[in-house]
Amino acid sequence: MIIGLDIGYGTTKLIDSNGRVCSFKSIVGVGEPQKINLLGGEDRGYIRVVKIGGNTYTVGEDAEKYNLPIVDVKQRNSIESLAFKALVLAAIGDSAKSAPDLKIITGLPVKFHDDAPILIKSINDVVSAEVGVIPQPAGSFFDLFLDNKGNVVWHELNHSRVGIIDIGTYTTDILLIDNLNIVEALSGTITVGLHRLTTSIINTCKNEGIRQSLTHAEAERSLESGSVKKYGKEIDISSIVQAQKDNITKDIWSYVNSMWGKDERIDYLILTGGGGSVLCDSFPKFKTAELTITSNAFMANVYGFYKLGRRIYEHGS
């Protein structure tokens, strides 16, 4: 079975060749919750619980929902931790049950790509699989370059210079690909992402007396709705949301320019990641080369990992 696996700081995603698709927040809690149904008795429902090394972990939104002690998975060495392995096992578990012969393509942030051997070992600690690792933004490149069977569909990318801007929850990766070769010196990672955007919205709402205790979840919802609730009434904050989107976009574009300058050889810019879909209305103000926004930016990397897996393991190249 071929699997595309994307374990991000914000969200974990998986696609396998049986058509299974899953996505959940990259949150790991120690132990498991006890749910009491108001009609009587214990109500378990579906909760992602895994056991590693004699320890029990609850994975995904439920770890936060039931106020379990949370393990930080945002540090560089997190890929060696039991919490990271819990995310791997929670995502791959059902796929591993249906097919023991697993071939996984996954990714790492650009500046941490040298940690690939550590990542492969961590995955193999919890599941037996052949694992390939590429820079995370390259997933979005392959999502556009290949179809679901691993066939090339955008042939121009074979001989193009392509800049990829991948905006995630906590970081933004930029990757430059020239004639299918990664230009490492012009690729990198910065700690600017959707979390900084929602933090800016929270702080602005507090400073302007709109809401004193806005949560990140509420701020995330405001990115689409343009409003927040206070005492049961919707308050329009669309101007605040747009202003903060523009500010974050300027910060990201400043970094892009510091790396790529005025490189007139770039043929295409690809905007991707969960933040790509949120900030796409701000980026056209700054674009230089032709801008392509991936159709499902949130899932583009993991779809690309899966398509590359099909290409490697079924086409032999």
Side-chain angles (χ1 to χ4, degrees), residues 12-117:
T12 294
K13 307 152 200 166
L14 176 141
I15 298 171
D16 70 26
S17 48
N18 277 349
R20 177 172 171 258
V21 179
C22 76
S23 172
F24 54 85
K25 285 188 176 181
S26 296
I27 303 173
V28 178
V30 179
E32 58 184 303
Q34 296 297 318
K35 295 168 61 181
I36 304 299
N37 190 294
L38 290 177
L39 296 178
E42 184 180 359
D43 179 13
R44 295 281 310 155
Y46 177 73
I47 300 177
R48 290 184 177 87
V49 176
V50 298
K51 296 183 183 296
I52 302 176
N55 298 314
T56 300
Y57 298 94
T58 297
V59 177
E61 294 81 352
D62 285 317
E64 193 172 54
K65 179 179 179 181
Y66 292 101
N67 203 31
L68 295 175
I70 303 299
V71 183
D72 189 3
V73 294
K74 296 188 291 295
Q75 304 302 317
R76 179 178 181 182
N77 63 354
S78 66
I79 60 174
E80 302 177 73
S81 68
L82 287 177
F84 180 85
K85 294 171 185 177
L87 293 173
V88 173
L89 192 57
I92 293 179
D94 290 339
S95 295
K97 292 175 186 176
S98 60
D101 183 24
L102 301 180
K103 294 176 172 58
I104 300 169
I105 300 292
T106 187
L108 277 171
V110 171
K111 72 176 181 179
F112 296 149
H113 189 252
D114 288 344
D115 292 341

Side-chain angles (χ1 to χ4, degrees), residues 160-162 176 178 186 262-268 289:
S160 297
R161 192 169 175 89
V162 182
L176 192 65
D178 190 291
L186 297 176
K262 297 184 181 297
D263 191 341
E264 296 176 345
R265 296 171 296 169
I266 295 178
D267 301 296
Y268 302 99

